[in-house]
Amino acid sequence: MTLSQSATRAVTPGGLVDRPGSRQQSEVTRLLPVWVIALVIAAIGLFVLAPLLYIFLASINSDISVARGDFWPAEFTLENYSKIWSSVGLANALTNSIIAAGATAVISAVLAIGTAYVLVRYQFFGRLTILRALLGLQSVPGTLLVLPVFVLFSSAATTLGITVIGTRWGLIVTYLTFALPFSTWVMVTYLRGLPKELEEAARIDGASNLGILTRIILPLSWPGIIVSAIFAFLLGWNDVLFASVMTRPDTQTAAVALQIFATGTEGGAIPFYGQMMAASLVCAAPVVILYLFFQKYLVGGLTAGGVK
């Protein structure tokens, strides 16, 4: 063995081992064997994909077969996907969900980055109180605020003559009360990881506070903005509690439409299980596409601020 070869090996109580990072050392220090890891991954994948497979097969099966308990369709059909647009009223409901959840995501992301920049970069009286309040608001259950929000908006209609309940913008305002604190805290965590030297260099060049925010902070904060916007979007997309109280039939969201359709068909002779499964997949598709499209931003945004 030459000197260079011996330098790549280390002596341990158990004998000679390869240099750090080698394949032999990685196999020795691995916590679980490869076959155990593969088995665990396969079990988790089966646990997640089995319900999705059943939903998909039920959506292309007839209602009678699904009610009978047949897992594999006797005849593949796309009839359920054509019926849901009239039976569930999914087109109008999806439009309302996209408008309400999309507007909530955009508005909360825009307001959150400006608010978070002030909270992170400036020292003023009450700053810590605001930061603690942002965390405290996350612990308040939404069910406790349904009645106060409804009474507040009803009072606005009687006192100010402004109709809030039953409108899309009223639902957006309701979602912002929950989405904005969370989005602000996400951006606070993200902006703490950005170096201050970039802002100091911009100030030397004569940039204003607004210029620094729009030209320096905003381009560097896209991962955090995407994360806060997606979580705000999911808040509005998955909500049933507030949407069922704050909307009327022409402004109800997809989640409420699915709930009403499922409740209305429970007492029937043959529940429309196939149509419910098809409608569920159609409503889940925008969220899946959103995650796939912004996947790289989500990974960067969620891990930002974790290491100081």
Side-chain angles (χ1 to χ4, degrees), residues 216-273:
I216 305 297
I217 301 300
L218 186 61
L220 296 176
S221 303
W222 278 116
I225 294 173
I226 295 299
V227 169
S228 62
I230 287 180
F231 276 99
F233 183 87
L234 291 178
L235 174 67
W237 189 267
N238 297 327
D239 173 68
V240 179
L241 181 63
F242 287 93
S244 60
V245 176
M246 302 296 298
T247 58
R248 54 177 184 259
D250 60 326
T251 58
Q252 65 185 10
T253 60
V256 177
L258 286 177
Q259 183 192 36
I260 295 175
F261 179 74
T263 305
T265 59
E266 284 180 356
I270 301 176
F272 298 140
Y273 289 136

Side-chain angles (χ1 to χ4, degrees), residues 112-125 127-128 131 184 187-203 208-210 212-213 216-218 220-221 308:
I113 186 168
T115 306
Y117 179 71
V118 173
L119 292 174
V120 171
R121 291 294 188 255
Y122 294 93
Q123 299 291 334
F124 54 90
F125 178 77
R127 172 178 170 272
L128 293 178
L131 291 174
T184 303
M187 293 309 304
V188 165
T189 306
Y190 187 86
L191 293 182
R192 282 175 176 172
L194 296 182
K196 296 182 180 180
E197 290 76 12
L198 296 175
E199 303 172 35
E200 295 173 354
R203 292 186 188 279
S208 61
N209 293 331
L210 183 60
I212 293 175
L213 180 61
I216 305 297
I217 301 300
L218 186 61
L220 296 176
S221 303
K308 297 296 184 183

Side-chain angles (χ1 to χ4, degrees), residues 106-160:
V106 173
I107 295 174
S108 63
V110 171
L111 295 178
I113 186 168
T115 306
Y117 179 71
V118 173
L119 292 174
V120 171
R121 291 294 188 255
Y122 294 93
Q123 299 291 334
F124 54 90
F125 178 77
R127 172 178 170 272
L128 293 178
T129 303
I130 296 175
L131 291 174
R132 291 165 183 167
L134 292 176
L135 284 178
L137 289 174
Q138 305 303 316
S139 61
V140 179
T143 53
L144 296 179
L145 299 179
V146 174
L147 183 59
V149 170
F150 183 82
V151 172
L152 178 63
F153 287 170
S154 299
S155 302
T158 56
T159 305
L160 304 177

